[in-house]
Structures are given as structure tokens and as C-alpha cells.
Amino acid sequence: MKLRFLGGVDTVTGSRHLMETDRHRVLVDCGLYQGVKMLRRRNWKGFPEPPSSIDSVILTHAHIDHSGYLPVLVKHGFKGKIHCTQATYELCRILLPDAGHLQEEDARYAKKKKFSRHDNPEPLFTVEDARHALEFFETHAYNKEFSPTDDITALFSPAGHILGSACVRVRHDNQSIVFSGDVGRQADPIMRPPEALQNADYLLLESTYGDRRHSTEDPEETLASMINQTLARGGIALLPAFAVGRAQMLLYLIHKLQKEKHIPDVPVFLNSPMAISATELFLHHHHEHRLNEAQCAAIDENTTFVRSVDDSIALNQRRKPAIIISASGMATGGRVLHHLKSLVTDYRNSVIFAGFQAPGTRGDAMVNGTDRIKIHGAYYPVRAEVHNIDSLSAHGDYEEILAWLKQSDIRPRKVFITHGEPCAADAMRKHLEDELGWNAEVPELNSEVDL
Ligand SMILES: [Zn+2]
């Protein structure tokens, strides 16, 4: 069996790993590159192998950096099945068409502003391409083996990262590989912890926080104190959040803080059509997370869902204290940009990020103290208070991941460290060698190993 690292190895986006047996090819994750332009350009390079030569795709979870290249793969000839959990499929039905819409808008904008070298810049994929890709999905329950090809079996186990997220254990002949996907936290307020792994010969392990610990602050306390300070100044607290995952956690924490009277009862808005759809799904799938039906109903009641563009524009005129959650989580696009334009220049307001900010994003610049940001071609001075409550991340830090691996019955012959910036990946390699005595390496992009 051969394994090729086609993406997500020197960065946290663009996850793509190709397994090859004598007869078949299976791709695990098929993500889009996001963040700095140099990375985004890789999306346009074309897939290194003809998509029609791939028999099957296995998807660990719905986040675009793991699923967002699927419409392109299908457009260019992939005809197999895309295997994932039920919730991952339902989330992809929301996320992929939205990603297609953004691609179409980018192409239109590039044409209008003449950014592109082409007279008629084409989108990477369209809403229609995304809808077409969804027809290839096939869903599987956790811990139930399935066969993506006639010589490979696979099994999903809960990864605790977002709704539907999974680690996948793949077997061929007498060899097994575990792909960790993105790994959640031991004590996430809304997601259950990742399940212990079964033994495997090889492990591909994510390393987003391979060189960092999450701060030990209590995220609830920190969030309460930041919101209280903002509201006391008469300001608005703006929380950029990933539409899938963190937006739902913030809604839960804010509801809890208001109910326990730790923060005032100001209106709470969720302004992102995608986050609203994801929240509906989340509230519906309560068997998959820690919140019960009553808690889900209370969150629904406590939140004003802003769906239409007109309501979004009206909310943007608001100057009275409020809490606004909007996507995207790294302020790279979406309705949060309009809120930033109108809120970031006033010292009374605050912008509270909730998780990993990839290099090159506005979110990263803001949490690192930039004094101005560029949005839609114009500069805005940053006068609002800016925070990142890093302890709200949906990724385990290296200590949490080591603790999870120690619970597992796993002693791999080799670990390949993926999904991390170069320093984080290398630090994770050292942690595995020093603390577990495991043989680990950080693969290079497009490299291949014989297993
Ligand atoms: Zn993820």
C-alpha cells in the first residue's frame, strides 16, 4: 500500500491524502486551500492525478479545508462514492453550495475590478457544481465498518471536533492506518470528547496546536468579562465565528451566562445564513453532542436569527448594546465584514475571536494588534478592543492530543504529522518522540511512502 500527501502537510488547510493499493485509489479528505494567496493559488493547479482514476473518497468532516475541493474533483471526472457520516453530509449540503456561491462572487468581482489576467475569470466551481457533487455522497454510522473498495474497509469513530466529525481507520490486507482528521477537546462545552482509537500500524495526526497549549483561562469567565466591559461602555460585542461549530458553542455559552445573570440580557443576534442552517442542524442532532433537547430549545428562543439581507443591513445600523455573532470566523469573508466596517472604528465596541486564526487572515492581523484593516478595498482604523479567546478552540492542543493517544490502545509503527504550520508540526513530532517514544515524521507536500 502506498500513501501520498497531496495537501494539508505544510499548513492547516487543503487536506488531501491518497491511498493506493495494487488495484484501487482512495482519497481521504479533499479540502480547499485557504488563507494566504500563495496557498489559495494551489487550488487552481489541478489535481496531481486524473480524478477519474480515484475510486472513492472518505471524508473526515465537513469543514471546507477538508471537503471544499470535492466539487472540483467531481467536475473533473471523479465518479466514485464520497463516504462520510450523516451529519457530515447534512453539513456539506449547507457548506459546499455556499462555497460555490463565494467562488462565483469572487470571479464576478475579479472581472469587474479587472484583477484577473483572464478577460473572463471563471469560478473554481459553481453552486451547481457543488450540488452535483452532493449526489455522490454515501453516509455511514459511527463504528460500523464499510467498504470504499473491494480491497479496503473503513470505520468512522467520533472525533469530537464538530458535528459529524470522525477519525477514520482504514484496513487493507493486514495493514491499518488511522487518519485523525481534526481532533476535538476533552472538555469542550458542547461536543463530546474524541473516542479512544483502536490499534493501527500507521497514524496520520493533525497538529494545529502542536506547539501551543490553550490558555488555562475559563472561557466562560473570559467571555463574560469581555462582554460586560463592552456593554458597560455602551458598545456592541462582535463575535466572528466559524459557522459550523464555534457559532453554536458561543450561542450556548451566551445563553448560559445570561440565564445565570453573569451578563446583561441584551439582544443576541446570529447573522449568517450558513451559521443559522448549521445551528438548526446542531439543535436537531442532540444525540450527537452534550446539549439536551430543552437546552437546544432555550438557545433557539434566546437568539434572533438574521436571515435576509435587509435585516442584516438594518442590524448593521444598530448602535445600542448587543451581542452579534457572524461568520466567517477568521474575518476572511461573509457578513461579519460589514459589521467590522461599522463597528471596528469605535473604541466602545469589541471584536472577540474564538479560535485558530490562520496566518494571512484579517483575524490573524487583528489579534496580533494591527492598527488598521482593509475591507472591500478601503482601510479602517482598529479602535475597538480586540481579543481572541483561544481556549474556545475546537482543536485539542498537544497536551490534550497526547492524553487522548495515551487512552487509546494504539502503538503505531510510524506517525505522519499533518495539518499544522511547519513549526507546530515539527513540535508535535518531538512531543510524540519524547513522551511516547513513537517514530514520527513530518511529510513533505506531494511526497509518497511505501507502507
Ligand atoms: Zn475542522
Side-chain angles (χ1 to χ4, degrees):
M1 187 162 43
K2 279 185 191 150
L3 187 59
R4 283 171 64 190
F5 303 94
L6 300 181
V9 288
D10 48 3
T11 168
V12 295
T13 65
S15 281
R16 302 166 192 179
H17 311 294
L18 187 66
M19 284 173 45
E20 285 185 50
T21 69
D22 296 342
R23 293 186 293 123
H24 292 296
R25 283 181 160 164
V26 172
L27 185 66
V28 178
D29 284 342
C30 186
L32 209 61
Y33 282 101
Q34 296 169 303
V36 293
K37 194 167 186 176
M38 181 192 78
L39 284 176
R40 280 180 285 133
R41 235 183 258 142
R42 289 187 191 168
N43 292 324
W44 292 90
K45 279 213 166 127
F47 206 73
E49 293 295 332
S52 60
S53 71
I54 295 165
D55 299 281
S56 234
V57 176
I58 302 175
L59 191 57
T60 61
H61 67 291
H63 275 152
I64 287 298
D65 58 321
H66 294 256
S67 70
Y69 195 77
L70 285 168
V72 188
L73 200 76
V74 170
K75 183 166 123 178
H76 292 154
F78 172 75
K79 292 207 164 43
K81 287 267 177 269
I82 299 163
H83 301 271
C84 64
T85 64
Q86 178 66 25
T88 294
Y89 167 60
E90 289 178 34
L91 285 170
C92 282
R93 279 172 56 188
I94 302 167
L95 291 173
L96 292 180
D98 181 82
H101 176 70
L102 288 179
Q103 294 290 341
E104 288 182 40
E105 279 200 332
D106 282 354
R108 258 194 298 273
Y109 192 69
K111 184 176 179 182
K112 192 169 133 201
K113 296 276 171 184
K114 301 193 167 37
F115 284 160
S116 173
R117 281 174 287 137
H118 309 283
D119 291 339
N120 232 338
E122 289 283 313
L124 184 62
F125 62 93
T126 63
V127 175
E128 211 32 60
D129 295 328
R131 294 219 173 99
H132 182 52
L134 289 166
E135 292 169 19
F136 293 74
F137 278 59
E138 188 172 298
T139 63
H140 303 276
Y142 285 119
N143 292 315
K144 223 173 158 211
E145 209 164 62
F146 60 96
S147 304
T149 65
D150 59 14
D151 60 349
I152 290 177
T153 58
L155 181 104
F156 289 125
S157 64
H161 170 61
I162 59 165
L163 204 67
S165 66
C167 302
V168 59
R169 182 167 181 268
V170 179
R171 280 197 311 156
H172 165 70
D173 279 346
N174 287 323
Q175 287 191 316
S176 53
I177 314 178
V178 167
F179 297 82
S180 77
D182 289 0
V183 182
R185 318 275 308 269
Q186 291 298 321
D188 190 278
I190 60 169
M191 293 306 296
R192 296 208 187 99
E195 219 167 71
L197 295 173
Q198 292 175 33
N199 199 14
D201 300 303
Y202 300 94
L203 169 66
L204 266 81
L205 182 66
E206 74 123 317
S207 58
T208 315
Y209 284 90
D211 58 349
R212 268 180 293 167
R213 298 282 330 264
H214 294 308
S215 90
T216 50
E217 69 190 0
D218 176 352
E220 243 177 88
E221 245 169 57
T222 314
L223 184 64
S225 125
M226 288 171 185
I227 290 176
N228 280 330
Q229 287 171 35
T230 310
L231 299 179
R233 292 192 298 260
I236 293 176
L238 175 64
L239 284 66
F242 303 98
V244 176
R246 296 305 89 178
Q248 290 76 42
M249 185 171 72
L250 288 169
L251 286 177
Y252 165 68
L253 290 180
I254 289 164
H255 159 67
K256 185 164 179 271
L257 289 169
Q258 287 189 324
K259 197 172 129 206
E260 292 167 357
K261 310 234 172 289
H262 292 308
I263 59 172
D265 232 345
V266 295
V268 180
F269 298 94
L270 178 62
N271 184 13
S272 153
M274 195 166 51
I276 292 171
S277 304
T279 302
E280 284 167 351
L281 243 165
F282 181 84
L283 299 181
H284 178 72
H285 277 265
H286 40 80
H287 50 280
E288 266 199 42
H289 51 69
R290 292 183 194 264
L291 308 187
N292 60 34
E293 218 171 329
Q295 285 171 310
C296 289
I299 291 169
D300 192 40
E301 191 136 314
N302 195 50
T303 311
T304 304
F305 296 102
V306 182
R307 290 187 169 85
S308 73
V309 172
D310 286 348
D311 288 349
S312 175
I313 292 169
L315 176 61
N316 215 13
Q317 320 276 312
R318 186 188 169 99
R319 292 296 170 264
K320 282 194 279 184
I323 299 168
I324 300 175
I325 301 172
S326 188
S328 73
M330 303 189 201
T332 49
R335 289 185 180 174
V336 76
L337 295 184
H338 297 281
H339 289 307
L340 275 175
K341 287 203 282 193
S342 68
L343 297 176
V344 81
T345 56
D346 186 334
Y347 77 96
R348 289 175 301 173
N349 301 324
S350 63
V351 183
I352 306 170
F353 290 91
F356 187 79
Q357 303 297 315
T361 59
R362 277 188 202 90
D364 180 57
M366 287 179 74
V367 301
N368 282 308
T370 184
D371 57 1
R372 59 176 196 164
I373 46 169
K374 192 178 178 189
I375 304 175
H376 302 143
Y379 283 98
Y380 297 83
V382 177
R383 297 197 191 98
E385 214 175 321
V386 178
H387 307 277
N388 188 11
I389 311 184
D390 172 69
S391 52
L392 288 178
S393 167
H395 290 267
D397 63 24
Y398 70 84
E399 285 282 0
E400 290 170 293
I401 289 194
L402 288 170
W404 170 63
L405 292 173
K406 283 176 190 166
Q407 286 166 14
S408 303
D409 167 37
I410 186 169
R411 189 137 188 104
R413 261 186 269 165
K414 188 154 201 174
V415 184
F416 301 99
I417 311 288
T418 59
H419 202 285
E421 297 299 322
C423 291
D426 200 52
M428 183 60 105
R429 179 188 63 77
K430 287 205 198 88
H431 293 308
L432 291 179
E433 285 180 357
D434 295 349
E435 290 203 30
L436 299 172
W438 287 2
N439 176 11
E441 79 170 51
V442 181
E444 274 180 42
L445 184 64
N446 292 324
S447 64
E448 179 180 288
V449 285
D450 244 313
L451 303 180

